[in-house]
Amino acid sequence: MWVAFSGGVDSTVLLHALRTVPGTVAIHINHGLDPSASDWVQHCATVAREFGVQFESRSIRVDSRGNREQAARAARYAVFGELLAADDLLALGHHADDQAETRVWQLLTGREPGGMPTERRLGAGWLVRPLMGVRREQVYDYARRHGLRWIEDPANSDLGLDRNAIRHGVLRRLEERHPGALMRLSAPRRAAVACLRPLPVGEASDRGTEAWLLAAGLPTPSRTIAEIRRQSLAAEDRNPRVLVAPGTWACRYGDAWHIVADPGESTPKPIAVVVGDDVEMPDGILHWQPAAPGLPVGRSLSIGRRRGGERIRPLGRDCTKAVKALFQEAHVPPWRRAEWPLLYDGEALVAVPGLALAAEAVVANGCEPLWSPRRTIRKPLNTLKTP
């Protein structure tokens, strides 16, 4: 458990809250941008020692040309990405007020205002933000109650920086004009990817693709953006995909791009189900509705997944049909097909939920299975408790 520790109040509170987690390491990045930077390193080392936490620091060089704030962030995250091994976590101290500022900044700069993801891949591990449901005043209250010491970075009052201007100007005026605006802006939302719209091929320009990936909380290297733009020119019947992060792909289906997780290699075991009883599964919900004709209510079946080559004689048709063809007719994207449940009575395939019932398996008054897949791209990481 790495904790990004700048020495400011947010990261100090986070480190204090996580200090008893086994394997916690405070990692301080020395940007060298402030004359007191070396004093900050010493302060952070002292505080980490008082908390009983291992401490490490890294020094980086930031290009003074162009956007220094953006360059410092890029260099910082590059170090974090190199640090993380498989199953490592990097915890950052961003809170609800930071989320509100981010969404306003994204809106004002022409980006999708999805905010910062609560968690995402970084390097070989995961970046997490455990304080996203905590307000700034709660962070300060926690720090005062526990007698914590922290650094006040002079750069936080520099109104020449976009985020400071938003924090001290835009948000303050919005709150005065519309009480409760900051709380609404910082309200927890579904994971950014879960509510991310597909990217139309016609909008896959450099700027459009970058904004789309940022809205999902994904990296935006120029080579990835260029490859998505190039693959947008492929024939419409092709389904290209581009790796955008470890285990995460941009997949084109038809005339739009989607963010999809690598399904992995595991094959789930068959699940018992009774016709009429809803089943909640990791990938979605199998539910039922009355149908005439339909499958017999109370009949015991099993849920399996595709292995390839399955066929069924759909109700109302004279011949068997490949399950693959049913998916194609219904325009089900390829990445949804592997998770789609198939219902079996013994060895016989009797239903592809929402797409077909086997003609030989139905009765006059029964139930029809429907499948509602989840929109998230992967199983959620367990959320850390906030202080």
Side-chain angles (χ1 to χ4, degrees), residues 31-369:
H31 300 85
L33 296 175
D34 190 278
S36 303
S38 58
D39 294 335
W40 295 355
V41 175
Q42 186 57 48
H43 167 88
C44 290
T46 300
V47 171
R49 184 169 60 251
E50 292 173 355
F51 289 174
V53 172
Q54 183 180 339
F55 175 79
E56 293 189 22
S57 67
R58 298 287 190 278
S59 296
I60 60 176
R61 296 186 64 180
V62 178
D63 193 339
S64 59
R65 297 169 298 178
N67 189 325
R68 192 174 67 171
E69 185 180 17
Q70 184 175 339
R73 181 185 184 280
R76 184 167 64 248
Y77 276 75
V79 172
F80 291 151
E82 293 172 358
L83 278 177
L84 295 181
D87 298 325
D88 279 4
L89 298 181
L90 171 72
L92 275 69
H94 297 122
H95 47 66
D97 293 53
D98 293 324
Q99 181 72 294
E101 294 164 15
T102 298
R103 287 176 177 156
V104 171
W105 175 79
Q106 290 173 333
L107 184 64
L108 295 177
T109 54
R111 294 168 169 82
E112 291 282 347
M116 295 179 286
T118 303
E119 57 195 53
R120 70 170 174 87
R121 276 285 188 186
L122 181 63
W126 289 95
L127 177 155
V128 295
R129 294 182 169 97
L131 303 183
M132 289 293 268
V134 180
R135 295 292 305 279
R136 177 176 281 119
E137 61 262 30
Q138 292 175 292
V139 171
Y140 275 92
D141 179 62
Y142 181 101
R144 287 189 290 265
R145 282 189 289 111
H146 290 276
L148 304 182
R149 299 179 292 111
W150 63 88
I151 297 167
E152 290 289 355
D153 186 348
N156 289 336
S157 58
D158 181 1
L159 297 183
L161 299 177
D162 286 347
R163 291 189 178 270
N164 292 338
I166 291 171
R167 179 183 309 158
H168 301 296
V170 176
L171 284 180
R172 178 177 58 81
R173 294 181 181 179
L174 279 175
E175 188 68 26
E176 291 173 355
R177 179 82 176 184
H178 302 281
L182 193 147
M183 182 168 291
R184 290 189 291 273
L185 283 166
S186 63
R189 300 172 62 186
R190 291 177 296 170
V193 171
C195 56
L196 184 72
R197 68 177 179 89
L199 176 68
V201 168
E203 297 180 17
S205 62
D206 286 352
R207 183 181 178 90
T209 303
E210 180 187 35
W212 184 65
L213 292 173
L214 282 170
L218 293 167
T220 59
S222 57
R223 63 183 181 276
T224 299
I225 293 172
E227 182 63 13
I228 290 176
R229 187 180 68 248
R230 189 181 73 84
Q231 294 287 4
S232 294
L233 301 176
E236 190 173 342
D237 61 348
R238 302 294 298 273
N239 298 310
R241 63 178 192 166
V242 177
L243 186 68
V244 293
T248 305
W249 301 80
C251 297
R252 207 197 81 183
Y253 183 66
D255 60 357
W257 288 91
H258 306 257
I259 298 298
V260 181
D262 191 331
E265 299 298 328
S266 62
T267 302
K269 296 180 179 179
I271 301 172
V273 61
V274 175
V275 174
D277 291 350
D278 294 351
V279 179
E280 186 166 356
M281 302 168 65
D283 301 320
I285 299 175
L286 178 72
H287 52 103
W288 301 83
Q289 67 178 16
L295 297 178
V297 176
R299 174 70 63 86
S300 294
L301 304 175
S302 63
I303 301 174
R305 297 298 174 93
R306 286 194 69 203
R307 293 188 294 271
E310 297 88 353
R311 299 186 70 86
I312 189 172
R313 186 165 70 90
L315 184 66
R317 300 197 184 189
D318 296 330
C319 59
T320 64
K321 191 85 172 177
V323 171
K324 178 180 179 180
L326 292 174
F327 285 135
Q328 291 172 336
E329 291 176 358
H331 302 290
V332 176
W335 58 88
R336 288 292 190 201
R337 300 172 190 177
E339 68 190 28
W340 208 279
L342 304 180
L343 299 185
Y344 289 87
D345 187 353
E347 297 295 321
L349 177 61
V350 296
V352 181
L355 301 181
L357 297 177
E360 66 274 12
V362 300
V363 296
N365 293 296
C367 279
E368 175 187 10

Side-chain angles (χ1 to χ4, degrees), residues 5-23:
F5 186 37
S6 68
V9 63
D10 304 334
S11 62
T12 300
V13 164
L14 180 61
L15 184 64
H16 185 268
L18 297 177
R19 68 193 185 282
T20 60
V21 175

